[in-house]
Amino acid sequence: GAGVSQSPSNKVTEKGKDVELRCDPISGHTALYWYRQRLGQGLEFLIYFQGNSAPDKSGLPSDRFSAERTGESVSTLTIQRTQQEDSAVYLCASSTRSGNLQYFGAGTRLSVL
Amino acid sequence: ELKVEQNPLFLSMQEGKNYTIYCNYSTTSDRLYWYRQDPGKSLESLFVLLSNGAVKQEGRLMASLDTKARLSTLHITAAVHDLSATYFCAVLPLNNDMRFGAGTRLTVKP
Protein backbone atom coordinates (compact mmCIF):
# COMPACT_ATOMS: atom_id res chain seq x y z
CA GLY A 1 0.00 0.00 0.00
CA ALA A 2 0.95 3.64 -0.30
CA GLY A 3 0.87 4.46 3.39
CA VAL A 4 1.40 2.96 6.82
CA SER A 5 -1.28 0.40 7.54
CA GLN A 6 -2.39 -0.57 11.03
CA SER A 7 -4.78 -3.28 12.12
CA PRO A 8 -7.18 -3.65 13.69
CA SER A 9 -8.51 -0.10 13.60
CA ASN A 10 -10.50 -0.74 16.76
CA LYS A 11 -10.08 -3.37 19.44
CA VAL A 12 -12.27 -3.93 22.47
CA THR A 13 -10.99 -6.44 24.97
CA GLU A 14 -11.57 -7.57 28.50
CA LYS A 15 -9.16 -6.79 31.29
CA GLY A 16 -6.56 -9.52 31.58
CA LYS A 17 -6.64 -10.60 27.93
CA ASP A 18 -3.69 -10.33 25.58
CA VAL A 19 -3.88 -8.21 22.42
CA GLU A 20 -1.70 -7.98 19.34
CA LEU A 21 -1.53 -4.87 17.19
CA ARG A 22 -0.06 -4.86 13.73
CA CYS A 23 1.79 -2.24 11.73
CA ASP A 24 2.72 -2.54 8.07
CA PRO A 25 5.17 0.28 7.23
CA ILE A 26 5.74 1.96 3.90
CA SER A 27 7.86 -0.27 1.70
CA GLY A 28 11.53 0.65 1.93
CA HIS A 29 11.22 2.47 5.25
CA THR A 30 13.87 1.12 7.60
CA ALA A 31 12.77 3.01 10.70
CA LEU A 32 9.57 2.15 12.55
CA TYR A 33 8.12 3.74 15.69
CA TRP A 34 5.28 2.84 18.04
CA TYR A 35 3.54 5.51 20.12
CA ARG A 36 0.64 5.60 22.55
CA GLN A 37 -1.81 8.49 22.73
CA ARG A 38 -4.24 8.67 25.60
CA LEU A 39 -7.42 10.65 25.13
CA GLY A 40 -6.74 14.36 24.86
CA GLN A 41 -3.02 13.96 25.41
CA GLY A 42 0.17 14.06 23.40
CA LEU A 43 2.09 11.10 22.07
CA GLU A 44 4.16 8.83 24.29
CA PHE A 45 7.10 7.06 22.65
CA LEU A 46 7.07 3.29 23.13
CA ILE A 47 9.67 1.63 20.92
CA TYR A 48 11.83 2.22 17.87
CA PHE A 49 13.20 -0.19 15.25
CA GLN A 50 15.95 0.68 12.78
CA GLY A 51 16.73 -1.95 10.18
CA ASN A 52 18.05 -5.13 11.73
CA SER A 53 19.46 -3.41 14.80
CA ALA A 54 18.26 -4.32 18.27
CA PRO A 55 15.24 -2.15 19.10
CA ASP A 56 15.25 0.64 21.62
CA LYS A 57 12.77 -0.59 24.21
CA SER A 58 13.32 2.18 26.72
CA GLY A 59 9.87 3.65 26.27
CA LEU A 60 7.87 0.50 26.96
CA PRO A 61 5.78 1.25 30.07
CA SER A 62 5.95 -2.22 31.61
CA ASP A 63 7.06 -5.79 30.95
CA ARG A 64 3.54 -6.56 29.73
CA PHE A 65 4.44 -4.68 26.54
CA SER A 66 6.61 -6.21 23.84
CA ALA A 67 7.19 -5.60 20.16
CA GLU A 68 8.78 -7.42 17.30
CA ARG A 69 9.77 -6.60 13.78
CA THR A 70 11.16 -8.99 11.21
CA GLY A 71 13.73 -7.23 9.08
CA GLU A 72 12.24 -4.11 7.56
CA SER A 73 8.69 -5.38 7.33
CA VAL A 74 5.68 -5.79 9.56
CA SER A 75 5.84 -5.04 13.26
CA THR A 76 3.58 -6.31 16.02
CA LEU A 77 3.00 -4.73 19.41
CA THR A 78 1.76 -7.16 22.03
CA ILE A 79 0.17 -6.21 25.32
CA GLN A 80 -0.25 -9.04 27.78
CA ARG A 81 -2.76 -9.11 30.61
CA THR A 82 -4.31 -5.83 29.51
CA GLN A 83 -5.32 -3.27 32.11
CA GLN A 84 -7.83 -0.44 31.83
CA GLU A 85 -5.01 2.11 31.79
CA ASP A 86 -3.80 0.52 28.53
CA SER A 87 -6.84 2.02 26.78
CA ALA A 88 -5.51 4.45 24.20
CA VAL A 89 -4.82 4.89 20.52
CA TYR A 90 -1.65 3.12 19.46
CA LEU A 91 0.06 4.81 16.54
CA CYS A 92 2.75 3.44 14.29
CA ALA A 93 5.00 5.54 12.09
CA SER A 94 7.74 4.76 9.61
CA SER A 95 10.47 6.76 7.92
CA THR A 96 13.18 6.10 5.37
CA ARG A 97 15.65 6.26 8.24
CA SER A 98 15.91 7.77 11.68
CA GLY A 99 15.63 11.54 11.57
CA ASN A 100 13.62 11.76 8.41
CA LEU A 101 9.97 12.69 8.15
CA GLN A 102 7.72 10.14 9.82
CA TYR A 103 4.54 8.92 8.21
CA PHE A 104 1.83 7.82 10.60
CA GLY A 105 -0.76 5.10 10.32
CA ALA A 106 -4.38 5.70 11.27
CA GLY A 107 -3.84 4.01 14.62
CA THR A 108 -5.49 1.24 16.60
CA ARG A 109 -8.00 2.38 19.20
CA LEU A 110 -7.76 -0.05 22.12
CA SER A 111 -10.49 -0.16 24.74
CA VAL A 112 -9.99 -2.37 27.77
CA LEU A 113 -13.22 -3.03 29.65
CA GLU B 1 15.39 13.68 30.68
CA LEU B 2 14.33 15.53 27.56
CA LYS B 3 11.35 17.81 28.08
CA VAL B 4 9.39 19.47 25.32
CA GLU B 5 7.12 22.36 26.20
CA GLN B 6 4.64 23.99 23.91
CA ASN B 7 2.76 27.18 24.46
CA PRO B 8 0.09 28.14 24.32
CA LEU B 9 -1.82 24.89 24.87
CA PHE B 10 -5.05 26.45 23.67
CA LEU B 11 -5.33 29.16 21.06
CA SER B 12 -8.44 30.79 19.71
CA MET B 13 -7.89 33.08 16.75
CA GLN B 14 -9.99 35.05 14.36
CA GLU B 15 -9.65 34.46 10.68
CA GLY B 16 -7.11 36.72 9.06
CA LYS B 17 -4.98 37.16 12.16
CA ASN B 18 -1.37 36.08 12.71
CA TYR B 19 -0.02 34.12 15.63
CA THR B 20 2.98 32.06 16.75
CA ILE B 21 3.17 28.77 18.62
CA TYR B 22 6.34 28.16 20.60
CA CYS B 23 8.18 24.92 21.28
CA ASN B 24 10.99 24.83 23.85
CA TYR B 25 13.07 21.76 24.56
CA SER B 26 15.58 20.94 27.23
CA THR B 27 18.46 19.12 25.58
CA THR B 28 20.72 19.47 22.59
CA SER B 29 19.06 18.30 19.43
CA ASP B 30 18.88 19.55 15.89
CA ARG B 31 15.97 17.41 14.78
CA LEU B 32 12.64 19.07 15.34
CA TYR B 33 9.28 18.11 13.87
CA TRP B 34 5.86 19.70 13.58
CA TYR B 35 2.68 17.67 13.16
CA ARG B 36 -0.98 18.41 12.75
CA GLN B 37 -3.76 16.27 14.17
CA ASP B 38 -7.44 16.66 13.36
CA PRO B 39 -9.97 15.34 15.89
CA GLY B 40 -10.20 11.57 15.77
CA LYS B 41 -7.52 11.34 13.12
CA SER B 42 -3.87 10.35 13.01
CA LEU B 43 -0.94 12.72 12.73
CA GLU B 44 0.06 14.50 9.57
CA SER B 45 3.69 15.53 9.21
CA LEU B 46 4.09 19.23 8.48
CA PHE B 47 7.77 20.07 8.78
CA VAL B 48 11.08 18.56 9.71
CA LEU B 49 13.83 20.98 10.74
CA LEU B 50 17.31 19.51 10.79
CA SER B 51 19.70 22.38 11.38
CA ASN B 52 20.11 25.62 13.26
CA GLY B 53 18.41 28.45 11.44
CA ALA B 54 16.28 26.13 9.32
CA VAL B 55 13.08 27.70 8.05
CA LYS B 56 10.34 25.84 6.21
CA GLN B 57 7.12 27.26 4.80
CA GLU B 58 3.98 25.64 3.48
CA GLY B 59 1.01 27.83 2.69
CA ARG B 60 0.09 29.89 5.74
CA LEU B 61 2.42 27.99 8.07
CA MET B 62 6.10 28.70 8.62
CA ALA B 63 8.37 26.83 11.01
CA SER B 64 11.81 27.82 12.22
CA LEU B 65 14.47 26.34 14.46
CA ASP B 66 17.03 27.95 16.76
CA THR B 67 19.11 25.14 18.22
CA LYS B 68 21.13 27.47 20.41
CA ALA B 69 18.00 28.77 22.12
CA ARG B 70 16.44 25.28 21.93
CA LEU B 71 13.38 26.89 20.44
CA SER B 72 11.18 26.26 17.44
CA THR B 73 8.29 28.39 16.32
CA LEU B 74 5.30 27.70 14.12
CA HIS B 75 3.98 30.94 12.69
CA ILE B 76 0.47 31.19 11.31
CA THR B 77 -0.23 33.93 8.79
CA ALA B 78 -3.76 35.16 8.01
CA ALA B 79 -5.42 32.20 9.67
CA VAL B 80 -8.34 30.40 8.03
CA HIS B 81 -10.87 28.02 9.54
CA ASP B 82 -9.25 25.00 7.85
CA LEU B 83 -6.20 25.44 10.04
CA SER B 84 -8.20 24.49 13.15
CA ALA B 85 -6.49 21.40 14.58
CA THR B 86 -4.04 20.37 17.27
CA TYR B 87 -0.40 21.06 16.46
CA PHE B 88 2.40 19.07 18.04
CA CYS B 89 6.11 19.69 18.04
CA ALA B 90 8.46 16.79 18.66
CA VAL B 91 12.18 16.48 19.26
CA LEU B 92 14.28 13.50 18.24
CA PRO B 93 17.37 13.17 20.45
CA LEU B 94 20.38 11.02 19.66
CA ASN B 95 18.88 7.95 21.34
CA ASN B 96 15.86 8.18 19.01
CA ASP B 97 13.43 8.39 21.93
CA MET B 98 11.07 10.85 20.22
CA ARG B 99 9.48 13.29 22.64
CA PHE B 100 6.33 15.21 21.86
CA GLY B 101 5.01 18.42 23.28
CA ALA B 102 1.54 18.40 24.82
CA GLY B 103 0.06 19.98 21.71
CA THR B 104 -1.55 23.33 20.92
CA ARG B 105 -5.25 23.15 20.20
CA LEU B 106 -5.94 25.85 17.63
CA THR B 107 -9.43 27.10 16.87
CA VAL B 108 -9.88 29.63 14.09
CA LYS B 109 -13.15 31.50 14.26
CA PRO B 110 -14.79 33.39 11.39
Side-chain angles (χ1 to χ4, degrees):
Chain A
V4 177
S5 177
Q6 289 188 246
S7 62
S9 55
N10 284 284
K11 176 71 177 178
V12 180
T13 190
E14 292 180 349
K15 178 181 173 181
K17 300 284 188 183
D18 298 350
V19 296
E20 187 174 279
L21 314 180
R22 176 187 169 110
C23 173
D24 201 341
I26 293 173
S27 178
H29 281 196
T30 61
L32 186 147
Y33 300 79
W34 282 99
Y35 300 94
R36 177 169 70 179
Q37 186 176 31
R38 291 198 167 106
L39 187 64
Q41 298 186 20
L43 273 73
E44 176 187 4
F45 167 81
L46 296 179
I47 191 168
Y48 159 71
F49 294 90
Q50 174 61 56
N52 293 314
S53 302
D56 173 9
K57 301 181 179 181
S58 61
L60 294 177
S62 78
D63 59 7
R64 296 185 294 104
F65 286 71
S66 63
E68 292 185 351
R69 186 185 188 196
T70 304
E72 296 179 358
S73 62
V74 171
S75 175
T76 55
L77 177 69
T78 302
I79 309 173
Q80 295 178 308
R81 305 180 304 281
T82 52
Q83 303 294 313
Q84 287 185 333
E85 65 260 26
D86 298 334
S87 296
V89 175
Y90 290 82
L91 292 163
C92 173
S94 71
S95 66
T96 51
R97 59 180 175 86
S98 172
N100 285 358
L101 206 60
Q102 294 185 16
Y103 295 85
F104 280 79
T108 294
R109 185 176 301 273
L110 175 65
S111 300
V112 182
L113 304 179
Chain B
E1 180 180 326
L2 172 60
K3 292 185 179 179
V4 181
E5 295 184 351
Q6 279 183 245
N7 70 84
L9 298 182
F10 296 92
L11 176 57
S12 181
M13 301 175 61
Q14 282 195 313
E15 281 191 330
K17 298 292 187 181
N18 305 331
Y19 208 85
T20 300
I21 300 170
Y22 297 89
C23 176
N24 290 90
Y25 55 97
S26 63
T27 195
T28 302
S29 174
D30 55 5
R31 299 184 289 182
L32 193 292
Y33 304 80
W34 284 96
Y35 298 92
R36 168 184 172 143
Q37 186 175 37
D38 292 291
K41 300 292 181 66
S42 189
L43 273 72
E44 173 190 352
S45 293
L46 295 175
F47 303 107
V48 54
L49 304 167
L50 297 176
S51 61
N52 186 41
V55 177
K56 296 270 183 83
Q57 183 164 5
E58 181 73 31
R60 301 175 187 273
L61 300 177
M62 183 174 71
S64 65
L65 177 62
D66 181 343
T67 58
K68 294 180 181 178
R70 298 178 184 173
L71 170 68
S72 179
T73 61
L74 180 67
H75 187 72
I76 303 157
T77 302
V80 293
H81 179 68
D82 286 352
L83 290 180
S84 296
T86 299
Y87 293 85
F88 291 96
C89 68
V91 176
L92 188 64
L94 290 175
N95 67 358
N96 292 303
D97 179 351
M98 188 86 138
R99 293 298 173 101
F100 282 74
T104 296
R105 185 171 298 180
L106 172 65
T107 303
V108 181
K109 299 180 177 179

